[in-house]
Amino acid sequence: MIKRILGISYSPVGGTARVTELMAGEVARHLRECSPEEVIVECCTIKEGDPVPLVSDDETVVVLGMPVYVGKIPLPAVKAMREISGNSAMTLAIVSYSGRSYGNALYELKQYAAERSFTVIGAGAIAISYSAYRGSDRSGHVAIDMTALGEYAKAASSKIMRLGGCEVEGLKVKPAPLEVKGHMPKHKLSRLSPGAAAIAQSVLDRVALRRRESEWFL
C-alpha cells in the first residue's frame, strides 16, 4: 500500500519545485480515494553536495522533477542525482520547460533515473512560463499548464493503483518497460556562458516550428 509521495526536484528559480509539489499533491489526492491510511506528501529540492533524500521502501512513490536547459537536463542536476538511490521505488519523472520544445530532456531524465535505481512508470513534460518583472522573484510568477498536469496526475495515479495492489488487495503487477521519445544528448552546450546558452535556446526555439504541448508517457 502506498503511504508516501516524495517529491524531489532540482529547481534553481523555483518553477520546477512548484510543478513537482503540485504533481505530488495531485497524485496523493487520487491515491487517498483508495487507501485506508493517510497518504503523506513530502517535497525537497536537491543540489550537488546536499544531504541525500531517503527513498526507503515500496510504500513510497517518487515524483522526480527537473528543469529543461537548452533541451537537456542541466549538468548540476545530473551531478546532484548521482548522490541519490531510488531503491526501486515507483517513480514519475517530470520536466518543466518554458521554451518551444523540451528536446531530449524527458528521455534523458528517464535514463538517469533508471541508472539510479528508480522504477520509472511514467514520464511527463509540463509547459510553464515566467511573467517576472524587474526586481521580482521569478518563482512567484510562474504559469503552469495545470490542465495537462492534472490529467497526467490522474492517469498516473490509476497506474500506481494497479501496480501497487490498490484496486485488488494483495495483487501487485510488475510494470512493463516505459517507452519515451528521444535520445541521450551531448552536453557541450551546458558548458557555455549564460549569454551563449540563451542564444542556443533561441535557435532551438526557432527550429521548433510550433510549441510542443505538454505530454506524458505511461
Side-chain angles (χ1 to χ4, degrees):
M1 188 67 67
I2 303 303
K3 297 181 180 179
R4 178 173 73 147
I5 309 299
L6 175 61
I8 302 174
S9 62
Y10 176 85
S11 185
V13 297
T16 303
R18 183 60 179 155
V19 170
T20 304
E21 291 167 2
L22 289 169
M23 183 68 181
E26 280 295 291
V27 170
R29 182 175 67 84
H30 288 295
L31 293 184
R32 289 183 186 120
E33 297 176 359
C34 80
S35 176
E37 300 184 33
E38 179 68 9
V39 179
I40 65 171
V41 177
E42 299 175 7
C43 292
C44 64
T45 57
I46 59 171
K47 60 182 179 181
E48 191 177 5
D50 274 1
V52 179
L54 180 62
V55 184
S56 57
D57 52 48
D58 60 2
E59 295 179 340
T60 296
V61 170
V62 176
V63 178
L64 186 60
M66 295 288 158
V68 176
Y69 184 99
V70 197
K72 307 174 183 67
I73 302 300
L75 278 177
V78 174
K79 293 177 180 178
M81 281 185 62
R82 290 175 182 157
E83 306 299 322
I84 306 172
S85 174
N87 291 328
S88 300
M90 285 194 291
T91 301
L92 300 171
I94 190 168
V95 298
S96 63
Y97 71 105
S98 58
R100 294 179 66 88
S101 171
Y102 58 85
N104 292 297
L106 190 58
Y107 180 91
E108 185 183 12
L109 177 56
K110 182 246 183 184
Q111 295 299 108
Y112 283 133
E115 290 175 5
R116 301 310 307 157
S117 299
F118 291 92
T119 302
V120 183
I121 63 168
I126 301 297
I128 65 174
S129 62
Y130 294 97
S131 56
Y133 48 85
R134 183 173 297 178
S136 72
D137 176 9
R138 287 185 72 191
S139 63
H141 300 274
V142 58
I144 300 167
D145 185 349
M146 289 301 300
T147 299
L149 187 146
E151 292 173 351
Y152 175 35
K154 183 177 181 179
S157 299
S158 295
K159 185 172 184 178
I160 292 168
M161 291 176 193
R162 295 193 304 273
L163 297 176
C166 295
E167 294 183 341
V168 179
E169 186 63 31
L171 176 62
K172 292 188 178 182
V173 181
K174 185 177 180 179
L178 181 69
E179 298 294 332
V180 176
K181 294 185 296 186
H183 61 269
M184 289 299 288
K186 295 181 180 179
H187 268 276
K188 292 181 180 179
L189 288 176
S190 297
R191 299 186 179 91
L192 295 177
S193 67
I199 294 173
Q201 181 65 56
S202 68
V203 171
L204 179 66
D205 288 346
R206 287 198 299 271
V207 170
L209 298 179
R210 63 182 181 84
R211 180 181 176 90
R212 181 180 291 181
E213 302 297 331
S214 300
E215 62 180 338
W216 59 87
F217 305 85
L218 290 170

